[in-house]
Amino acid sequence: MAFPLRVLLLLFLSIPFSESKSNLSFDYYKRSCPNFEKIVRETITTKQMSNPATAAGTLRLFFHDCMVEGCDASVFIASNSFNTAERDADVNLSLSGDGYEVVVRAKTTLELTCPKVVSCADILAVATRDLVTMVGGPYYKIRLGRKDGLVSKASRVEGNLPRSNMSMSHVINLFASKGFNVQEMVALTGGHTIGFSHCIEFSDRLYSYSKKHATDPELNSKFAAGLRNICANHTIDKTMSAFNDVFTPGKFDNMYFKNLPRGLGLLAYDHALVKDPRTKPFVELYATNQTVFFQDFSRAMQKLSIHGIKTAKNGEVRNRCDQFNSIQT
């Protein structure tokens, strides 16, 4: 669903920009790599059609990248004997290979077309937006010109990403530390409308909830029974998972929010959103008005996309997304 240009511009004007952020522009590659967005769009279309999980995987990858060190593609760096990189932090081990692959594919083509011009960070930002749009979500404009970061350390990840077992106050404070208010946090969480979560992330709601109840009684009973069946061997097979949205898992819509009051929220965090008085009003708003959800999601994603960006002084355009241009220790 596309919004009028006037609305999109108003959304951007409400976002504060630091001096470094002001160096970004909508037409950053107009002369240096005019086919940049076309190449990314063709790459993501091919990948999404062959593997429908790509959109959700890339969206999650983008979020994990931006919340740690900022939107600088630091999550792509591979570990070496000198450094354990961000992608090997415990919470990042479950990130989808599809997200990494689609960006690397686009980068490979771009290096042949306009070498050493387009950053991996910009590719990830645009690929995420285009994939969200491709599966039914909103289109939003993105300022370009990010540089790839020069630091990627697993030790810096913990505490910067929400965990499924965190209290709502903890999650709200975490987002607040990144500059996001409660409504923006709920809107971004709406990304759970596509993709899946691994059983290990919600198994405690199924098998060992409390002394009185093995299963969380607030889970829809049929939903819980289905999850127990799906996740029966999750302690042996760590890859076992379930869709975040049981009804339209491949479509970006507001069904995720509609599911929460019905006891169909997968994670404890999902369920808490509809219970906590600070977040419940936004859940109810988005459940009844998809247009408002799309508008708020777009605005939050635009804000997220400029979080902690690197410019020429503290970044580079990597030749390969998985390694710095020079050895970093």
Side-chain angles (χ1 to χ4, degrees):
M1 178 177 179
F3 292 102
L5 178 60
R6 179 175 64 84
V7 175
L8 288 168
L9 289 176
L10 286 173
L11 292 179
F12 264 111
L13 289 174
S14 66
I15 300 174
F17 284 88
S18 68
E19 184 177 351
S20 63
K21 294 180 178 68
S22 68
N23 293 328
L24 304 183
S25 65
F26 296 125
D27 59 353
Y28 188 85
Y29 297 108
K30 183 177 181 179
R31 291 188 178 136
S32 59
C33 194
N35 289 324
F36 160 57
E37 293 201 41
K38 179 175 181 288
I39 289 171
V40 172
R41 188 164 53 251
E42 290 175 348
T43 303
I44 67 104
T45 299
T46 300
K47 187 70 171 65
Q48 177 66 18
M49 289 179 68
S50 64
N51 192 331
T54 300
T58 306
L59 176 58
R60 184 167 180 244
L61 181 65
F62 176 72
F63 178 77
H64 279 230
D65 180 54
C66 291
M67 292 291 279
V68 182
E69 304 292 352
C71 301
D72 64 353
S74 53
V75 74
F76 281 83
I77 294 297
S79 297
N80 56 36
S81 57
F82 304 102
N83 177 56
T84 302
E86 208 173 291
R87 68 189 293 172
D88 286 324
D90 176 63
V91 71
N92 284 337
L93 294 177
S94 62
L95 288 173
S96 169
D98 294 308
Y100 289 112
E101 184 180 345
V102 74
V103 172
V104 170
R105 282 189 188 182
K107 175 66 171 175
T108 300
T109 303
L110 287 163
E111 284 301 300
L112 295 173
T113 306
C114 36
K116 302 180 181 180
V117 171
V118 182
S119 68
C120 300
D122 271 351
I123 296 172
L124 177 58
V126 172
T128 300
R129 187 272 313 279
D130 288 353
L131 282 161
V132 165
T133 304
M134 186 176 178
V135 295
Y139 176 88
Y140 49 92
K141 294 192 72 176
I142 295 177
R143 292 181 181 267
L144 302 169
R146 298 164 191 75
K147 301 304 179 189
D148 298 321
L150 301 173
V151 175
S152 180
K153 294 183 178 297
S155 60
R156 297 191 181 187
V157 173
E158 190 61 37
N160 285 300
L161 288 166
R163 294 279 197 164
S164 60
N165 60 351
M166 281 183 177
S167 69
M168 187 53 62
S169 291
H170 193 166
V171 176
I172 288 173
N173 290 336
L174 171 58
F175 274 86
S177 72
K178 307 291 182 180
F180 295 93
N181 61 35
V182 174
Q183 184 163 10
E184 291 165 336
M185 180 198 80
V186 177
L188 287 172
T189 304
H192 285 185
T193 193
I194 56 175
F196 57 85
S197 295
H198 290 91
C199 292
I200 191 67
E201 296 181 73
F202 54 87
S203 60
D204 57 334
R205 299 188 73 196
L206 303 177
Y207 307 109
S208 55
Y209 183 72
S210 68
K211 291 182 179 179
K212 290 185 177 180
H213 303 281
T215 301
D216 185 346
E218 295 210 38
L219 271 172
N220 177 283
S221 58
K222 291 183 179 179
F223 183 51
L227 291 176
R228 284 196 298 270
N229 183 52
I230 291 171
C231 297
N233 295 318
H234 76 278
T235 56
I236 299 172
D237 184 355
K238 305 295 184 182
T239 65
M240 299 191 77
S241 57
F243 290 122
N244 294 322
D245 170 8
V246 69
F247 290 113
T248 58
K251 182 181 179 182
F252 197 100
D253 54 20
N254 67 336
M255 186 59 72
Y256 165 76
F257 294 109
K258 291 181 178 181
N259 288 338
L260 298 184
R262 304 170 183 168
L264 300 173
L266 197 61
L267 306 175
Y269 166 71
D270 296 326
H271 182 64
L273 283 177
V274 77
K275 288 294 184 179
D276 193 289
R278 294 167 292 183
T279 54
K280 183 179 180 180
F282 302 119
V283 171
E284 293 175 339
L285 172 63
Y286 297 152
T288 57
N289 194 324
Q290 180 170 281
T291 298
V292 173
F293 165 48
F294 277 15
Q295 179 179 331
D296 288 354
F297 178 81
S298 296
R299 182 177 181 178
M301 286 293 284
Q302 289 169 330
K303 185 174 179 177
L304 178 62
S305 75
I306 57 173
H307 175 66
I309 60 161
K310 310 300 185 293
T311 52
K313 294 181 180 179
N314 54 7
E316 64 181 3
V317 174
R318 290 185 208 136
N319 300 324
R320 289 179 44 160
C321 291
D322 64 347
Q323 63 184 35
F324 302 114
N325 292 341
S326 57
I327 296 176
Q328 304 288 318
T329 60

